[in-house]
Amino acid sequence: MNIKLIAIGKTDDKQLNSLIDNYINRLKFYIKFNFEIIPDLKNVKNLSESQQKEKEGKLILNQVDTSDILLLLDEKGKQYDSVAFSEVLQKHMNSGVKQLIFVIGGPYGFSPEVYDRANGKLSLSKMTFSHQMIRLFFVEQLYRGFTILKNEPYHHR
């Protein structure tokens, strides 16, 4: 199985990028992982919130095949502890899914079309975090999930 994380807009913070890259490199030991960044839209001042979500949605959906499982990182999504999240990963690997895609949306969330295509929603917390920080939190939790599945000492039970 391949896991892809899609995010809107680049991260300018070099320290944050370094931490994200650290976990991405660690993940490659466990699974094929790709991090795709969709560039920020240009001239967003001329777009309404719904127009911006629609344009971002089209860019997201262009990266998704019909056989892919699409999970949105969304504040209204289901919350898991780290062990339960590792079980979700295992379930998808056991099901024969070729590609599991997680998406961090833009500042206004997702378009109705993206919600319609999604196979589920996942929330990392009830708190609000920047889209930049969520990238780090998510790749760390993904890494943690695989260390749990391999019974490695990274996660203390």
Side-chain angles (χ1 to χ4, degrees), residues 34-127:
N34 298 309
F35 182 26
E36 303 287 333
I37 297 174
I38 296 174
D40 285 314
L41 296 175
K42 302 210 184 305
N43 300 321
V44 291
K45 292 176 186 169
N46 299 329
L47 300 175
S48 69
E49 186 178 309
S50 62
Q51 288 172 319
Q52 186 171 339
K53 287 194 296 189
E54 182 181 329
K55 285 183 180 265
E56 289 171 347
K58 286 179 183 176
L59 295 171
I60 291 166
L61 293 175
N62 284 342
Q63 296 202 27
V64 179
D65 291 331
T66 55
S67 63
D68 294 337
I69 297 295
L70 181 65
L71 299 176
L72 308 179
L73 275 71
D74 187 273
E75 63 188 7
K76 297 179 187 95
K78 185 169 181 177
Q79 291 187 3
Y80 299 94
D81 65 23
S82 296
V83 172
F85 180 60
S86 73
E87 292 166 356
V88 169
L89 295 171
Q90 186 68 63
K91 181 183 113 189
H92 285 297
M93 287 189 294
N94 291 348
S95 72
V97 170
K98 287 185 179 180
Q99 182 158 253
L100 178 60
I101 300 176
F102 294 92
V103 184
I104 300 168
Y108 301 115
F110 299 103
S111 68
E113 293 80 14
V114 173
Y115 280 118
D116 289 344
R117 169 58 182 86
N119 299 94
K121 296 181 287 187
L122 167 73
S123 172
L124 295 183
S125 174
K126 291 182 180 182
M127 294 178 154

